[in-house]
Amino acid sequence: MHSPNPRRPDDLVQLLTRAERLAARRLQGVLEAEGCSLDAWRVLAALSDGEGHHMTGLAEAAFLPPPTLTKLVDQLVDQNLVHRRVDPFDRRRVLAHLTPRGREYRQRVERAVRAGWSPLGDGDDALLRSLLDRLAATLEGSARV
């Protein structure tokens, strides 16, 4: 009996890359209609918890190098979507927060994203999320060893 070839790690990387690029392309189309970039959407999403974030953590959450994040946050500040405050616990650091206008904008963009995103259905979204979380945790763990 013939058994299929086991998947190689590079096959998985190819699939993940393809899925990420297709998802980003679809998401960019929705975001552009709302006047938002993918990077800005990631920053707004990270700030939506209302807690305020240091620029270093925000750069990691948005997958951006710090200088790029700083320019983006400057633009979001100019648009009155984000404001910065000195961290009350460490006055050398700055916390970024959504403004009320930023919260409204983010909610509007999020509604458009949800409307433009077709779920996999039948619990597959939850399964995929769980598997990707496990993969990321495993890869992070093996990187620390």
Side-chain angles (χ1 to χ4, degrees), residues 50-123:
E51 296 185 16
H53 292 267
H54 297 113
M55 298 299 278
T56 303
L58 197 52
E60 290 174 12
F63 307 107
L64 293 171
T68 303
L69 174 72
T70 299
K71 290 176 189 172
L72 178 57
V73 170
D74 288 345
Q75 293 169 0
L76 295 172
V77 167
D78 290 346
Q79 296 169 4
N80 193 26
L81 299 175
V82 171
H83 65 92
R84 295 181 183 109
R85 287 191 187 151
V86 173
D87 184 340
F89 300 107
D90 183 350
R91 302 206 48 84
R92 297 168 296 172
R93 299 182 82 178
V94 173
L95 296 173
H97 296 268
L98 289 179
T99 63
R101 183 172 185 252
R103 278 191 298 278
E104 291 172 13
Y105 179 71
R106 190 223 172 247
Q107 289 170 350
R108 181 175 53 115
V109 170
E110 191 62 27
R111 281 191 301 274
V113 166
R114 288 180 191 272
W117 189 261
S118 54
L120 295 172
D122 296 326

Side-chain angles (χ1 to χ4, degrees), residues 11-21 128 132 135 139:
D11 292 340
L12 180 58
V13 171
Q14 286 291 105
L15 286 170
L16 289 168
T17 301
R18 181 172 177 249
E20 188 274 335
R21 290 188 179 165
L128 180 59
L132 290 172
L135 176 61
L139 293 171

Side-chain angles (χ1 to χ4, degrees), residues 4-62:
N5 291 338
R7 289 211 178 256
R8 300 181 323 253
D10 58 327
D11 292 340
L12 180 58
V13 171
Q14 286 291 105
L15 286 170
L16 289 168
T17 301
R18 181 172 177 249
E20 188 274 335
R21 290 188 179 165
L22 290 169
R25 192 176 309 140
R26 173 178 247 172
L27 187 56
Q28 283 173 333
V30 173
L31 293 172
E32 285 174 5
E34 297 296 325
C36 188
S37 70
L38 183 57
D39 290 338
W41 179 70
R42 286 181 176 140
V43 169
L44 296 172
L47 294 176
S48 69
D49 63 10
E51 296 185 16
H53 292 267
H54 297 113
M55 298 299 278
T56 303
L58 197 52
E60 290 174 12

Side-chain angles (χ1 to χ4, degrees), residues 16 124-138:
L16 289 168
D124 286 343
D125 278 350
L127 176 60
L128 180 59
R129 185 180 315 272
S130 173
L131 290 171
L132 290 172
D133 281 343
R134 275 183 35 205
L135 176 61
T138 299

